[in-house]
């Protein structure tokens, strides 16, 4: 289909089945199609900057803009990047962290603190760091404004800043009461342990790009998912804003006046090199700079 296709032409293009979507660099998906769909993919005539639409995106929320970065990479793979709904820089948190059971906080002196819980994306603006016990949050001094470095670099980011820390019922939990040293068997009651999901810290990237950042969560690709071409890359046009100087021709009167000032109507005069000035002028300039004796 030619690059100048209309919206009606795009609707007539086939939907291409997807077999796999692999996240890399926390912002790019390599989308693979089956061998029998390569011919249909070639019909789309994809180019960098084209917009795609997926029947079931491998991320949530489903508000991201999918932009082609490398069409037909390695034959059966199309590489796309994700952008926020308002043009924000998008970052995707991997399923490994979202569905995992541990993550690591980097401390001073190259020490590490392993938390046996997972992380989640909160309102596409922050990460929620889940903790097994509220006393861990107290021990790490995770207060509002504090910095926290994550070894796994969720969303491709290591340095984060605490927005809010939440703990509750610390005096009830035997682990929290003993300062995480472990309760005695006589004091242990599983029902008194911190309830999952009640101890957490909300964090945001320590540094954000000027246009803002939008966080997505990676999810499993459903069987039968397809892609289609939603829009071609828009043509680049120069738009003159207020006070812009356009490359249009000068009015005839102004052009004639400038040509008359040059004394001819052809090419502009050749400029004389400064190194070829007359000797008298050079000597006069030198004497003017010499100090008076």
């Amino acid at each position: 289909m030619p690059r100048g296709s209309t919206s009606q032409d795009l609707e007539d293009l086939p939907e291409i089945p997807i077999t796999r979507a692999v996240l890399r660099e926390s912002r790019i998906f390599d989308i693979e199609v089956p061998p029998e769909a390569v011919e249909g993919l070639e019909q789309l005539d994809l180019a960098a900057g084209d917009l795609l639409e997926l029947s079931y995106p491998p991320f949530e929320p489903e508000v991201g803009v999918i932009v082609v970065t490398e069409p037909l990479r390695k034959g059966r793979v199309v590489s796309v990047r994700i952008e926020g709904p308002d043009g924000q820089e998008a970052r995707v948190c991997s399923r490994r962290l979202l569905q995992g059971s541990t993550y690591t906080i980097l401390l001073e002196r190259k020490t590490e603190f392993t938390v046996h819980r997972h992380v989640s994306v909160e309102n596409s603006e922050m990460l929620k760091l889940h903790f097994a016990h509220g006393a861990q949050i107290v021990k790490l001094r995770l207060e509002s404004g504090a910095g926290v470095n994550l070894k796994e670099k969720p969303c491709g980011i290591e340095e984060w800043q605490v927005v809010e820390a939440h703990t509750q019922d610390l005096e009830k939990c035997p682990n929290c009461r003993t300062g995480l040293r472990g309760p005695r068997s006589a004091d242990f009651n599983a029902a008194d342990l911190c309830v999952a999901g009640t101890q957490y810290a909300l964090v945001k990237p320590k540094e954000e790009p000027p246009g803002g950042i939008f966080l997505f969560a990676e999810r499993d690709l459903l069987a039968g998912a397809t892609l289609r071409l939603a829009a071609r890359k828009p043509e680049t046009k120069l738009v003159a804003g207020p006070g812009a100087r356009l490359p249009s021709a000068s009015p005839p009167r102004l052009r004639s006046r400038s040509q008359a000032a040059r004394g001819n109507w052809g090419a502009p005069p050749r400029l004389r090199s400064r190194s070829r000035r007359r000797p008298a002028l050079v000597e006069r300039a030198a004497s003017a700079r010499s100090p008076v004796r």
Side-chain angles (χ1 to χ4, degrees):
M1 184 67 65
R3 294 294 303 170
S5 307
T6 63
S7 58
Q8 182 62 43
D9 294 331
L10 297 181
E11 293 179 359
D12 296 336
L13 291 174
E15 292 190 3
I16 310 300
I18 302 172
T19 56
R20 192 170 60 155
V22 180
L23 176 66
R24 61 183 172 94
E25 301 175 15
S26 300
R27 68 181 78 186
I28 295 176
F29 280 97
D30 292 327
I31 300 176
E32 183 179 293
V33 304
E36 61 273 15
V38 172
E39 183 177 352
L41 189 62
E42 291 175 346
Q43 292 180 17
L44 302 186
D45 190 24
L46 296 179
D50 288 346
L51 304 183
L52 298 183
E53 181 180 302
L54 275 61
S55 62
Y56 187 85
F59 56 83
E60 55 184 352
E62 299 182 12
V63 295
V65 180
I66 305 173
V67 185
V68 175
T69 58
E70 294 182 64
L72 289 180
R73 184 172 179 265
K74 297 182 180 179
R76 293 168 46 196
V77 177
V78 176
S79 296
V80 300
R81 74 173 186 274
I82 313 302
E83 294 181 358
D86 296 319
Q88 307 98 319
E89 180 177 320
R91 295 298 184 94
V92 184
C93 189
S94 67
R95 288 174 297 170
R96 180 176 59 86
L97 280 174
L98 296 170
Q99 302 172 2
S101 57
T102 61
Y103 63 91
T104 308
I105 296 177
L106 300 176
L107 306 176
E108 297 179 354
R109 300 178 183 178
K110 298 182 179 181
T111 57
E112 301 178 351
F113 187 92
T114 301
V115 182
H116 294 275
R117 285 294 184 271
H118 68 292
V119 304
S120 59
V121 177
E122 190 78 3
N123 298 328
S124 298
E125 298 176 346
M126 299 175 288
L127 282 186
K128 178 182 281 189
L129 308 180
H130 297 265
F131 289 83
H133 297 287
Q136 294 174 324
I137 298 177
V138 176
K139 180 178 181 179
L140 294 171
R141 299 180 181 179
L142 297 183
E143 303 171 347
S144 178
V148 54
N149 291 5
L150 302 177
K151 182 178 181 179
E152 291 79 7
K153 296 182 179 180
C155 302
I157 303 172
E158 178 180 322
E159 297 183 346
W160 299 76
Q161 187 176 42
V162 177
V163 177
E164 176 189 346
H166 180 270
T167 61
Q168 67 180 59
D169 299 329
L170 301 188
E171 68 286 350
K172 183 179 179 181
C173 174
N175 267 324
C176 293
R177 285 201 312 265
T178 59
L180 301 175
R181 289 189 294 272
R184 296 177 301 176
S185 57
D187 298 332
F188 184 82
N189 185 347
D192 294 336
L193 294 176
C194 291
V195 179
T198 60
Q199 321 295 331
Y200 59 85
L202 296 176
V203 298
K204 67 177 183 179
K206 185 176 181 180
E207 297 182 0
E208 296 186 10
I213 194 168
F214 197 98
L215 304 183
F216 292 89
E218 184 187 13
R219 65 182 181 183
D220 295 323
L221 185 70
L222 290 183
T226 60
L227 70 80
R228 60 176 294 270
L229 178 60
R232 295 292 188 190
K233 176 183 178 182
E235 296 292 337
T236 302
K237 295 182 179 180
L238 295 178
V239 180
R245 183 175 298 176
L246 298 177
S248 56
S250 303
R253 185 179 60 179
L254 296 180
R255 185 186 299 119
S256 300
R257 187 175 298 172
S258 61
Q259 290 173 339
R262 290 201 301 263
N264 67 75
W265 296 81
R270 183 178 302 173
L271 299 179
R272 185 188 300 270
S273 172
R274 292 183 177 180
S275 61
R276 299 175 59 187
R277 290 185 299 179
R278 289 177 297 175
L281 294 178
V282 176
E283 293 176 358
R284 187 181 305 169
S287 61
R289 289 194 300 266
S290 300
V292 178
R293 296 183 179 276

